[in-house]
Amino acid sequence: MPLNAEARTLLEYMASIDAPPLDSQDPVTARAERAALAPDPVEDCHEIRDLDVGGVVARLYSPSPPPDGVTPGLLVFFHGGGWVIGDLDSHDNVCRALTNRSGHKVLSVDYRLAPEAPFPAALDDCVAATRWAHGHSDELGVDPNRIAVGGDSAGANLAAVVCHIAPAPIVFQLLVYPVVDARMTSSSYIENGEGYFLTARSMAWFVDHYLSGDEGSADDPRVSPLLASDAVLAASPPAMVVTAGFDPLRDEGVAYADRLAELGVKVSHVHFPGQFHAFFSLPHVLGDAKTAHALTAEALAQALAG
């Protein structure tokens, strides 16, 4: 399938700006440029408040109050950005959409970023935040037995590994174009390594920064969850995996969904063949992003139904 027409127009516009490649920048500059591109909110949310969740900054999104006697579930969300860029604001629209459309609360986690805090700092923060959310469900106003985790790209990587560690009972995982094989050897890295927003060189830049400390490697299942054992994967909660056709991460996302399914995990795999990496964060310009938000929120609502 060819590149989606809206996606092609957007990529052409981005190319015309002639911004320096991400992998040619230092992380501080890259973060500032990403922050400058964060869109204004496109929809309201019933309540948004920032929290300290056991030493980790987070933001709680609440939908319109449910009927009396109904306690919502919770999605603990980890933003993308290659473990190096991104923050609560970069994924504000995503979290608003998910809470509004699912009817459940979303806790967005502002985990530490590399290279200042390399692996496993981000993972430690995400594990701690998930554990805290379960232990403080009354404070959050959520059902402790209906907690999901999710994220996009590197955030989906963190969500998948959190499911492997299982610091709390997790009933669902939402993985949007996840990084699950940091070895970067799949065919989609060759097919989509240039020209579709996320490049192969940028992914190498992300991974190098993430693994710049004294721990972890691309062969570590805590970095590449696709390499986890059958027993660990088989114990994973039900999942929805979203992939994009023009994404270097396409093949590893497909492989992860397939492997979960082969091991008996309930999996819904939604593929957008005409889209590129990061489309999920662009509902203000891409119709497919709005569709993806609706589909993922519906899956979340079903998974967290009382």
Side-chain angles (χ1 to χ4, degrees), residues 58-236:
R59 183 173 293 167
L60 181 67
Y61 296 80
S62 298
S64 297
D68 289 344
V70 176
T71 302
L74 178 72
L75 170 67
V76 185
F77 184 86
F78 313 124
H79 67 77
W83 311 281
V84 176
I85 61 177
D87 53 26
L88 298 180
D89 292 334
S90 67
H91 287 65
D92 179 63
N93 271 325
V94 168
C95 293
R96 288 172 185 250
L98 289 174
T99 195
N100 284 342
R101 286 158 182 72
S102 71
H104 295 280
K105 296 190 179 186
V106 175
L107 184 69
S108 183
V109 178
D110 197 19
Y111 56 84
R112 287 171 290 171
L113 300 177
E116 295 88 345
F119 174 85
L123 177 59
D124 289 345
D125 287 352
C126 294
V127 168
T130 305
R131 182 180 291 116
W132 187 96
H134 180 257
H136 293 77
S137 58
D138 286 346
E139 179 179 337
L140 295 173
V142 300
D143 186 338
N145 297 312
R146 290 187 285 142
I147 294 178
V149 297
D152 65 314
S153 194
N157 166 280
L158 294 166
V161 181
V162 167
C163 287
H164 296 176
I165 296 171
I170 300 170
V171 301
F172 181 71
Q173 54 182 320
L174 173 60
L175 310 179
V176 180
Y177 32 72
V179 183
V180 289
D181 189 351
R183 297 173 300 178
M184 299 179 289
T185 57
S186 67
S187 296
S188 54
Y189 266 92
I190 298 172
E191 295 174 23
N192 304 318
E194 288 287 340
Y196 302 109
F197 183 69
L198 177 65
T199 67
R201 288 196 305 273
S202 291
M203 270 306 303
W205 182 85
F206 284 132
V207 172
D208 286 346
H209 282 309
Y210 188 45
L211 298 179
S212 60
D214 296 327
E215 294 188 52
S217 69
D219 295 320
D220 188 331
R222 297 174 299 163
V223 176
S224 296
L226 182 63
L227 304 182
S229 69
D230 285 354
V232 168
L233 287 175
S236 298

